[in-house]
Amino acid sequence: MNYRTGKKAHLLVKKHKLMERVQGSAMLKQAISETAMCDLLFPALIDEEARSAEKDMIYHALSESPRVLRRFREQSKISYEEYVELKYDSLITHLRKTLDPYELSSIGWPSKILAAEIWFTAEIKVTPGVRKNGRKATARIAMAKKLFSSGLTKSQIAAKLKISPSTISKWLVRKPEIKNEFGEIDEVIFLD
C-alpha cells in the first residue's frame, strides 16, 4: 500500500513540477555536502550565533510545514512546550529521527522540511479516504435496524437478509452510529 501511495504521490509531485523542490537542486546539494563533513567532524567550530540562526531557520521551516511539524512532535513524543524549548543539538537529533537519519548538514534542514511537507501533502491527496457503504449495504443496514426494532435476534436478522451473523457483528464494531441505532441492549441480544 505504501509503495502504491508513494508511486501516486511521485506522479502528482512530478505533474505539478515540484520535483526539484522535493529532490533539491544540484547546486544546493553540492554546497551542503561540502560543508556537512566539516560540521560533522568539527561541531565545536559552529559558533553559538550560527547555531541560533540555523535553529531559527529550522523553526521557521517547521512553522510553515504543519504536516511535518505534527509528525515531528508525534514521533518525538514531545509536547509543544518541550518543542519550543529544544536545544539546537536535540532539535537536529529529533529531525534525524523523524525525517532523514542520513542528513549530516544542519544547513540542509529547511529545504528538507519543505520537501517533506510537499511530499506528505501529495501522499494525503492520493490516499483514498474512508470508504462509505454502498447502496446495497446501506439498504441492508436499514432493513436490519427495522428488523431489530421488531424484536428479532441477530441470527434471525441474518437469516432474513441472507447474510452471516458475523456481518452484523462487523457492522456494530465498525460503525458506532449503527450500534447506537440498535440500542443499549444490543450487546445482550446480539450475542448468540
Side-chain angles (χ1 to χ4, degrees):
M1 186 65 182
N2 287 336
Y3 172 77
R4 289 183 187 145
T5 302
K7 195 169 180 177
K8 288 177 184 176
H10 176 79
L11 291 173
L12 183 65
V13 168
K14 196 173 181 179
K15 176 184 170 189
H16 289 284
K17 297 180 174 92
L18 295 169
M19 287 306 290
E20 189 167 314
R21 285 193 177 178
V22 171
Q23 294 176 343
S25 70
M27 197 166 93
L28 182 61
K29 281 183 183 177
Q30 174 91 18
I32 289 171
S33 67
E34 289 176 2
T35 60
M37 191 57 74
C38 182
D39 292 349
L40 189 65
L41 292 174
F42 308 107
L45 294 179
I46 303 173
D47 65 346
E48 200 55 43
E49 189 177 318
R51 284 176 179 247
S52 178
E54 288 174 14
K55 182 179 174 185
D56 289 344
M57 288 189 322
I58 291 170
Y59 273 120
H60 177 72
L62 285 169
S63 71
E64 298 285 320
S65 308
R67 290 175 180 84
V68 175
L69 180 59
R70 183 176 35 246
R71 186 172 288 202
F72 175 86
R73 288 191 46 227
E74 285 172 359
Q75 289 185 358
S76 300
K77 296 181 177 128
I78 59 175
S79 68
Y80 183 76
E81 291 77 23
E82 293 169 322
Y83 159 72
V84 172
E85 297 297 322
L86 280 176
K87 302 281 185 223
Y88 175 79
D89 292 329
S90 296
L91 179 64
I92 298 298
T93 302
H94 284 299
L95 282 170
R96 282 191 180 125
K97 243 188 330 186
T98 305
L99 290 181
D100 186 359
Y102 303 111
E103 179 64 55
L104 301 176
S105 172
S106 49
I107 299 170
W109 283 112
S111 61
K112 179 113 4 194
I113 291 167
L114 173 64
E117 182 67 18
I118 292 169
W119 186 261
F120 294 155
T121 302
E123 280 185 338
I124 288 170
K125 289 194 181 276
V126 299
T127 303
V130 178
R131 285 180 51 187
K132 300 201 188 283
N133 292 328
R135 281 185 244 148
K136 192 174 182 180
T138 303
R140 284 182 170 174
I141 291 170
M143 182 57 83
K145 288 178 191 176
K146 191 174 181 181
L147 293 171
F148 173 77
S149 64
S150 69
L152 296 178
T153 65
K154 182 172 90 173
S155 36
Q156 291 170 330
I157 294 170
K160 273 211 184 276
L161 295 177
K162 296 183 174 112
I163 57 175
S164 72
S166 65
T167 300
I168 295 173
S169 298
K170 287 177 189 172
W171 289 345
L172 295 174
V173 170
R174 292 181 184 161
K175 312 255 186 246
E177 68 276 5
I178 294 172
K179 196 170 194 171
N180 294 338
E181 294 284 331
F182 281 101
E184 294 296 314
I185 55 171
D186 57 341
E187 295 297 328
V188 177
I189 291 175
F190 285 106
L191 292 175
D192 285 330

